[in-house]
Amino acid sequence: MTWHLDEDDVRAYAQGELTPPLLWSADTHLAACAACRAVLAEAADPGALDAGWERLDAELDAPRPGFLEALLMRLGVADHTARLLAATPVLRRSWLASVVLLLLTTVGVVYSADSPTLFLALAPMLPLAGVALSYGPALDPTYEMAVVSPVHGFRLLMIRTLAVLVAGLGLNGLATLALPAYGLRALAWLLPALALTAASLALTARLGPVLAPLLVGGAWLALLVSAEAAKSGTDSQLAPFTAAGQGVSAAVAALAVGLLFLVRDRFDVFHRSAV
Ligand SMILES: [Zn+2]
């Protein structure tokens, strides 16, 4: 070695204040020169160095955000919320594909039967099923996270439900566009969908994530069957899709949301007992 690093430069290097190109030559020299490394070890505050290593470790261990997560973060969603959303199975391609398939089948049935009744009956079940499916260890990779999560159980539930609702309602909306002949009447599924999902969530606090959606879905089907039986003429609408039925749906949705807010603390207990 014909030269050594200036002691001030070594101190600057230790504090991370050295800038290129001096930084590069210091790096190269330190790699080859034990004497300057000894000076560096003396100059370096051991605490700062450890902290630096920890930062580097954390940086290397941190998973790269996926496409969806990065997109959500760019849209201004907080990073931990974006991770939860991206890990929600409803937003995964396989789940979306099966929902799209189901919708296409429904639209096909509707066109062949020349009546939107079946679509209107099935459409509100999709967000309900989506919310129900976003629970349980078999379907949900975030299940462990939900169980141990420090995030308030109710907040977690709302984040996921919102994700599921947006995906489900968006897809349902697209299917509605496939029924242009029926105009706004084809949107009659929207309020029942909100009512069913909110009612199911409110009941989940008491009945658990399996029984509640099954019960609500069953009640909806029973209602449709009895409405079909009570229908006066072949051309008249089923009761839930008339103006009065829509009003009842809106009232049920509002009531269920209120109830959900009242029982919100139960979801923390529910998360703990789910282990
Ligand atoms: Zn040296």
Side-chain angles (χ1 to χ4, degrees):
M1 285 292 162
T2 54
W3 63 282
H4 288 288
L5 288 171
D6 187 80
E7 210 162 305
D8 285 340
D9 286 347
V10 173
R11 214 165 294 125
Y13 182 91
Q15 279 155 11
E17 285 163 3
L18 211 58
T19 50
L22 207 53
L23 175 64
W24 300 329
S25 63
D27 263 337
T28 318
H29 181 84
L30 282 167
C33 177
C36 282
R37 280 203 299 273
V39 177
L40 176 67
E42 254 171 68
D45 166 20
L49 207 60
D50 283 351
W53 277 114
E54 262 164 42
R55 268 202 308 280
L56 182 65
D57 259 0
E59 191 76 23
L60 291 174
D61 287 344
R64 292 270 159 269
F67 168 74
L68 187 65
E69 208 177 317
L71 185 73
L72 287 167
M73 277 157 72
R74 186 160 294 195
L75 289 174
V77 179
D79 55 355
H80 53 279
T81 305
R83 169 131 329 149
L84 274 176
L85 286 177
T88 302
V90 68
L91 293 174
R92 289 167 172 252
R93 242 170 277 159
S94 58
W95 200 93
L96 280 179
S98 62
V99 172
V100 168
L101 200 69
L102 179 60
L103 276 171
L104 287 180
T105 315
T106 311
V107 170
V109 169
V110 167
Y111 268 114
S112 59
D114 207 28
S115 153
T117 305
L118 186 65
F119 169 73
L120 286 177
L122 288 180
M125 302 279 279
L126 284 177
L128 179 68
V131 172
L133 284 177
S134 70
Y135 279 98
L139 290 153
D140 188 357
T142 66
Y143 179 76
E144 300 301 336
M145 213 162 128
V147 169
V148 300
S149 177
V151 178
H152 195 271
F154 186 70
R155 198 179 108 73
L156 188 71
L157 180 82
M158 285 300 105
I159 289 171
R160 297 168 147 212
T161 304
L162 204 66
V164 173
L165 272 181
V166 167
L169 293 181
L171 284 167
N172 275 351
L174 284 178
T176 305
L177 291 180
L179 299 165
Y182 297 102
L184 281 178
R185 241 177 60 188
L187 279 173
W189 55 267
L190 189 63
L191 282 171
L194 289 175
L196 290 185
T197 308
S200 167
L201 282 176
L203 289 176
T204 293
R206 189 169 281 273
L207 300 177
V210 179
L211 194 57
L214 280 180
L215 215 65
V216 171
W220 170 247
L221 288 179
L223 183 79
L224 287 175
V225 169
S226 58
E228 176 73 39
K231 206 165 69 162
S232 48
T234 45
D235 283 340
S236 67
Q237 282 275 30
L238 285 182
F241 307 118
T242 59
Q246 295 285 295
V248 171
S249 294
V252 168
L255 266 176
V257 168
L259 184 64
L260 188 58
F261 188 73
L262 285 178
V263 299
R264 65 189 183 283
D265 288 340
R266 281 176 181 266
F267 285 94
D268 295 333
V269 180
F270 164 66
H271 270 301
R272 258 175 258 130
S273 64
V275 183

